[in-house]
């Protein structure tokens, strides 16, 4: 394990890539890494820089960069062939994330953005013969697990509507790839709780660091002993880039780790890094939340040549520095 000063992940040689979800947390970092390698990036998202603060922050490093073409469009109804035409790879990261809100009235939007959008992307990609689609799946497909690390061959037990849609999404993409007439290879990456600069505001580490800086109360769902294989954004991007050029039989791969930690350990780290106390209030465990995620990394190593490099302390320190800088910019 090292700190975050490791060299920026090296993109394999990709001439032209489509990144869906480019105004999002992971998609914007991926697009930036591709641009640094000289790839032409067509970034597709239904949000744009005036949509909300997080889209603006995510897009800021991309807008105006040579090689970046922003397409503001909804994957559910836009014409996809002109967007995907001539791409070497489509990174399909657009979707509705978040485990806990998926029980409510938003379920239809989860189905649309995670399943129907993937169907449209795969349909267009296979018709055009795009060589590779890399799709963002989720550790949540495993559901409740024991202390054993989850293997890609484990039987999935998704425990939330969100997780069900992510399992459907990855399997749908793989079903397209399995057609005898299909020239498109699919890699489905099961990301494990990704964190780092510009992490979504609904996620725990971002909330813990904000609470430490502002003194607002952090709401913990459950007793804080649930554990996650937290995965730093640069590691996530490196695995995603590797999946673009990995062999066609890559299939499903866990992208997880760096550090397995409980929420209580995350709070302690936030306190150490800021030198401040985090006020905490405990609430009941939310439906669909699992007590533990832990990735078996063997397949990622053999198929992607990838393993996580950034430990939680270094990764959270980088996230904290970014949060301090962006808060100061907003206040100025
Ligand atoms: P995010 O919400 O920051 O980004 C997703 C982006 O997709 C958003 O900008 C949104 O506007 C866009 N989008 C959604 N539906 C769209 C549509 N119909 N048309 C066009 N754009 C659309 O989320 P994120 O954390 O960056 O997650 C990216 C992907 O990774 C998602 O598929 C998510 O399910 C998956 N994932 C994330 C994590 C994590 O820890 N962040 C873990 C596992 C899997
Ligand atoms: C995260 C992403 O949000 C999902 O989109 C993704 O699919 C999933 O990772 C994954 O790995 O597949 P989650 O692990 O729930 O989901 O990550 P957080 O939202 O950061 O939550 C982590 C834990 O903190 C959960 O137990 C949650 O209940 C808890 N939490 C979160 C709180 O106690 N309080 C909060 O304010 C937020």
């Amino acid at each position: 394990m090292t700190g975050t000063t490791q060299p920026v992940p090296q993109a394999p040689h990709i001439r032209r890539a489509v990144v869906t979800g480019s105004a999002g947390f992971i998609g914007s970092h991926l697009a930036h890494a591709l641009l640094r390698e000289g790839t032409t990036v067509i970034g597709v998202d239904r949000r744009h820089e005036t949509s909300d603060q997080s889209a603006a922050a995510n897009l800021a490093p991309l807008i105006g960069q040579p090689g970046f073409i922003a397409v503001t469009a909804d994957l559910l109804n836009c014409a996809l062939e002109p967007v995907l035409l001539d791409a070497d790879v489509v990174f399909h990261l657009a979707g509705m994330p978040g485990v806990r809100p998926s029980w409510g009235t938003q379920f239809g939007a989860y189905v649309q953005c995670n399943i129907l959008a993937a169907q449209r992307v795969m349909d267009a990609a296979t018709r055009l013969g795009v060589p590779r689609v890399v799709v963002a799946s989720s550790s949540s497909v495993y559901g409740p697990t024991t202390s054993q690390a989850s293997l890609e061959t484990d039987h999935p037990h998704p425990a939330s509507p969100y997780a069900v849609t992510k399992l459907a999404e990855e399997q749908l993409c793989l079903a397209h790839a399995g057609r005898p007439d299909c020239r498109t290879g699919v890699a489905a990456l099961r990301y494990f709780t990704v964190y780092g600069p510009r992490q979504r505001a609904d996620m725990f580490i971002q909330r813990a660091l904000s609470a430490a800086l502002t003194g607002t109360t952090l709401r913990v769902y459950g007793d804080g002993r649930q554990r996650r294989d937290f995965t730093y954004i640069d590691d996530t991007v490196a695995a995603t880039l590797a999946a673009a050029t990995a062999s066609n039989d890559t299939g499903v791969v866990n992208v997880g780790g760096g550090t397995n930690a409980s929420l209580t350990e995350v709070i302690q780290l936030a306190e150490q890094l800021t030198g401040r106390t985090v006020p905490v209030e405990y609430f009941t465990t939310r439906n669909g939340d699992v007590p533990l995620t832990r990735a078996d990394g063997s397949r990622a190593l053999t198929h992607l040549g990838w393993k996580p490099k950034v430990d939680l302390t270094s990764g959270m320190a980088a996230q904290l520095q970014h949060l301090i800088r962006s808060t100061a910019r907003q206040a100025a």
Side-chain angles (χ1 to χ4, degrees):
M1 286 295 158
T2 63
T4 58
T5 48
Q6 63 172 344
V8 174
Q10 293 295 300
H13 188 68
I14 302 168
R15 192 183 40 89
R16 188 177 176 90
V18 173
V19 177
T20 73
S22 50
F25 165 45
I26 304 175
S28 61
H29 280 279
L30 175 68
H32 199 222
L34 284 161
L35 288 172
R36 277 194 299 252
E37 295 304 313
T39 301
T40 298
V41 177
I42 295 98
V44 189
D45 206 295
R46 61 182 178 179
R47 297 192 296 168
H48 52 87
E49 62 270 33
T50 60
S51 296
D52 57 53
Q53 240 179 35
S54 85
N58 291 334
L59 286 167
L62 304 175
I63 301 289
Q65 288 258 0
F68 183 66
I69 301 162
V71 177
T72 304
D74 192 326
L75 293 172
L76 292 165
N77 54 34
C78 68
L80 275 170
E81 291 200 3
V83 176
L84 269 50
L85 191 69
D86 198 31
D88 296 327
V89 52
V90 175
F91 296 97
H92 179 48
L93 272 59
M96 277 281 278
V99 173
R100 294 161 293 285
S102 65
W103 295 102
T105 52
Q106 291 203 75
F107 179 64
Y110 278 85
V111 171
Q112 288 186 331
C113 295
N114 295 347
I115 306 176
L116 299 180
Q119 164 66 15
R120 292 197 82 230
V121 167
M122 282 308 300
D123 191 48
T126 54
R127 246 181 298 122
L128 291 168
V130 175
R132 174 61 50 91
V133 172
V134 180
V135 59
S137 185
S138 156
S139 71
S140 64
V141 305
Y142 290 113
T145 53
T146 61
S147 56
Q148 300 275 49
S150 296
L151 280 160
E152 291 83 347
T153 47
D154 288 351
H155 191 72
H157 292 282
S160 67
Y162 165 75
V164 170
T165 64
K166 293 306 284 186
L167 183 60
E169 178 179 10
E170 62 162 51
Q171 293 302 316
L172 177 65
C173 295
L174 290 163
H176 278 278
R179 282 171 13 206
D181 67 341
C182 181
R183 289 175 290 150
T184 303
V186 167
L189 305 182
R190 291 181 176 167
Y191 295 146
F192 283 64
T193 315
V194 183
Y195 74 103
R198 308 201 303 271
Q199 191 189 37
R200 296 194 329 262
D202 60 292
M203 294 186 71
F204 188 74
I205 292 183
Q206 187 76 354
R207 287 190 172 174
L209 290 172
S210 298
L213 290 178
T214 60
T216 51
T217 301
L218 177 67
R219 297 162 68 99
V220 173
Y221 307 134
D223 60 10
R225 284 190 294 179
Q226 63 265 52
R227 304 184 74 84
R228 293 287 179 274
D229 242 1
F230 292 105
T231 312
Y232 190 65
I233 184 67
D234 288 0
D235 282 333
T236 308
V237 166
T240 309
L241 293 173
T245 49
S247 71
N248 251 358
D249 68 351
T250 300
V252 175
V253 186
N254 289 338
V255 172
T259 314
N260 192 273
S262 70
L263 300 193
T264 301
E265 287 160 1
V266 168
I267 294 168
Q268 285 164 355
L269 210 42
E271 292 184 329
Q272 279 167 30
L273 289 168
T274 58
R276 301 186 190 183
T277 304
V278 178
V280 177
E281 205 175 332
Y282 291 88
F283 294 82
T284 51
T285 300
R286 292 300 193 251
N287 289 333
D289 246 1
V290 293
L292 168 76
T293 64
R294 193 190 291 277
D296 183 290
S298 331
R299 193 171 166 85
L301 196 55
T302 54
H303 283 68
L304 307 182
W306 174 90
K307 63 178 180 186
K309 291 185 175 149
V310 180
D311 61 71
L312 189 61
T313 307
S314 315
M316 275 182 61
Q319 185 167 342
L320 174 65
Q321 287 316 310
H322 181 271
L323 187 58
I324 291 169
R325 281 197 305 273
S326 56
T327 311
R329 265 200 306 274
Q330 277 160 26

